[in-house]
Amino acid sequence: KAGVTQTPRYLIKTRGQQVTLSCSPISGHRSVSWYQQTPGQGLQFLFEYFSETQRNKGNFPGRFSGRQFSNSRSEMNVSTLELGDSALYLCASSLRQGAGEAFFGQGTRLTVV
Amino acid sequence: EDKVVQSPLSLVVHEGDTVTLNCSYEVTNFRSLLWYKQEKKAPTFLFMLTSSGIEKKSGRLSSILDKKELFSILNITATQTGDSAVYLCAVINNAGNMLTFGGGTRLMVKP
């Protein structure tokens, strides 16, 4: 079965712009989590969505937001981009909330110039 | 705040060697510990450990959890160059599916 699909794979944006990233989870999976990976901070949790509701949120500013649709696809949005937002953004799919095992997509590499 | 520490930070071995990667954690309401392998982009799921003392095995890889001492190890026997990657340890608590990751161990296997 198809894995987790993230689009786009690469993005270059200018400071101050906003960006929307998309994640389609594994078919049948209803929980989607987002992570930011940078060389300095490693992998950090952004937020988790289950049944179209945000269930958990990491320690990121309000410029980072997300949503989940009825088909479990999720989007995350970053507004007023800063240079420090340059990172690999990874989406993880789980069968349900509390399932534990999470399967990651290939990520979106965002570069802010 | 949940915390995961991995050691060593990096490791260089030769093909055929056996390696042991370490992961210690502090987490409130611990539920499970997970190991991932990350080569380029997507971390690939290896193991999920929930119970203490029960070894999980997949081919040349194995892992065990000690919930009393709050650590886990990942063993790789007869290493191959294809094992070169960053190995990530993460813990999950009862609050949901949020993973707290360690900084990873970068393994390089030389021919």
Side-chain angles (χ1 to χ4, degrees):
Chain A
K1 67 184 170 184
V4 181
T5 304
Q6 290 188 244
T7 56
R9 295 289 302 277
Y10 302 92
L11 262 180
I12 300 176
K13 290 285 188 178
T14 305
R15 269 183 304 174
Q17 287 186 311
Q18 73 163 20
V19 67
T20 299
L21 313 182
S22 178
C23 172
S24 292
I26 292 169
S27 178
H29 283 199
R30 295 174 60 200
S31 172
V32 174
S33 300
W34 289 89
Y35 293 82
Q36 181 196 66
Q37 187 173 32
T38 58
Q41 299 297 319
L43 264 159
Q44 292 187 289
F45 173 77
L46 281 156
F47 24 67
E48 178 200 0
Y49 285 88
F50 178 76
S51 291
E52 302 175 64
T53 303
Q54 188 179 90
R55 303 292 176 157
N56 280 296
K57 189 177 193 316
N59 191 23
F60 279 82
R63 300 185 296 106
F64 291 81
S65 63
R67 58 179 176 167
Q68 187 181 34
F69 302 95
S70 58
N71 62 358
S72 296
R73 190 177 72 85
S74 177
E75 288 181 348
M76 69 162 276
N77 184 276
V78 188
S79 62
T80 320
L81 284 165
E82 300 177 359
L83 295 179
D85 297 334
S86 295
L88 178 66
Y89 289 88
L90 290 161
C91 164
S93 159
S94 298
L95 190 59
R96 61 185 183 281
Q97 193 180 26
E101 292 178 24
F103 300 90
F104 284 84
Q106 291 292 316
T108 295
R109 169 75 62 187
L110 171 65
T111 302
V112 182
V113 297
Chain B
E1 186 177 313
D2 297 346
K3 187 178 172 185
V4 179
V5 177
Q6 292 186 244
S7 64
L9 286 179
S10 65
L11 198 51
V12 180
V13 301
H14 287 92
E15 273 192 318
D17 288 349
T18 293
V19 297
T20 298
L21 310 183
N22 305 293
C23 175
S24 63
Y25 62 90
E26 294 172 24
V27 59
T28 306
N29 296 319
F30 172 88
R31 186 166 82 233
S32 300
L33 183 144
L34 293 86
W35 284 97
Y36 287 87
K37 176 184 181 183
Q38 187 175 29
E39 292 175 85
K40 288 185 181 169
K41 289 277 187 79
T44 305
F45 173 80
L46 295 174
F47 299 112
M48 183 171 77
L49 302 146
T50 304
S51 301
S52 218
I54 298 174
E55 185 184 52
K56 291 236 174 162
K57 199 168 169 67
S58 175
R60 297 176 295 102
L61 277 67
S62 63
S63 183
I64 197 160
L65 175 68
D66 185 327
K67 288 168 76 173
K68 184 179 174 187
E69 299 297 329
L70 307 183
F71 79 90
S72 173
I73 60 171
L74 175 68
N75 279 319
I76 309 175
T77 59
T79 52
Q80 303 170 357
T81 54
D83 295 327
S84 296
V86 174
Y87 289 84
L88 296 162
C89 170
V91 294
I92 191 165
N93 61 26
N94 286 322
N97 282 338
M98 181 183 99
L99 293 167
T100 300
F101 282 88
T105 293
R106 183 173 295 278
L107 173 66
M108 180 182 291
V109 181
K110 292 188 170 182

